[in-house]
Amino acid sequence: MLGLKLPTDPHWVNIVEENIDEILTDHAYCEQKAATNAISIIVNHPEFSDLVTAMTELVQEEMQHFRMVHDIIISRGQKLGRERKDDYVNELMKFIKIPYRTREEILIDRLLFAAMIEARSCERFRVLSENIQDKFLSGFYHDLMVSEANHYTMFIGFARKYAETVDVDKRWNEFLAYEAEVIVRYGNKENIHG
């Protein structure tokens, strides 16, 4: 369904389990950044009322997820650490920074960029849910995997809805190919995209 070209090696979970507190902090900030991205889409494309409504709901859901992860951190006797730089997301962002583009092309790329992050997060949450030893976290990540899949589908759906001149399937396949080149360098750190 997701179309990702390179799956995450399940052994990544071994790295995660060595420092679960680290991945929880990283995960919390991923949720916050997803909310921030949705706000950015609202600010830059307020003319699309259904998109604004969906992004408003997404902001609330992502911040709910942030709170859930934060609550897990607190329940483990830890505190939320400092925000981490997400090199994976920054590399994906380079793919959409092409000058002299139309407003439509920018919107479609922003939606596909968000879909890509949701797709990879969904895939990583699946790997966690199936391989992590902690049963609570296994269930938690299974539930979030389903949520991320819905977000991925929503972003792809909006890209298709608002594309007039952009071939969304072609552009999505370009994103998938680029993401495969990027993700090959990741999977060796205890963070969601690392």
Side-chain angles (χ1 to χ4, degrees), residues 111-125:
L111 293 169
L112 294 179
F113 166 77
M116 182 61 67
I117 294 169
E118 298 288 352
R120 182 55 71 182
S121 297
C122 176
E123 189 260 356
R124 288 282 169 101
F125 291 167

Side-chain angles (χ1 to χ4, degrees), residues 167-183:
D167 182 336
V168 172
D169 291 331
K170 178 178 182 274
R171 187 63 176 152
W172 179 243
N173 283 319
E174 292 169 353
F175 258 102
L176 288 169
Y178 179 77
E179 197 267 354
E181 294 173 13
V182 169
I183 200 66

Side-chain angles (χ1 to χ4, degrees), residues 34-51:
T36 300
N37 183 58
I39 291 169
S40 176
I41 290 171
I42 292 169
V43 169
N44 288 296
H45 302 282
E47 67 273 24
F48 301 115
S49 297
D50 57 342
L51 180 62

Side-chain angles (χ1 to χ4, degrees), residues 83-127:
E83 180 182 1
R84 276 78 168 147
K85 188 169 101 173
D86 194 328
D87 293 326
Y88 166 82
V89 170
N90 290 333
E91 283 194 61
L92 284 186
M93 185 64 96
K94 291 176 187 175
F95 189 66
I96 66 173
K97 291 188 175 177
I98 302 168
Y100 310 113
R101 296 183 312 142
T102 66
R103 184 163 171 74
E104 176 198 348
E105 291 170 323
I106 293 167
L107 172 61
I108 300 311
D109 268 9
R110 285 300 299 269
L111 293 169
L112 294 179
F113 166 77
M116 182 61 67
I117 294 169
E118 298 288 352
R120 182 55 71 182
S121 297
C122 176
E123 189 260 356
R124 288 282 169 101
F125 291 167
R126 181 190 57 76
V127 171

Side-chain angles (χ1 to χ4, degrees), residues 178-192:
Y178 179 77
E179 197 267 354
E181 294 173 13
V182 169
I183 200 66
V184 75
R185 294 185 293 280
Y186 296 90
N188 55 9
K189 292 183 184 175
E190 62 278 339
N191 48 29
I192 296 299

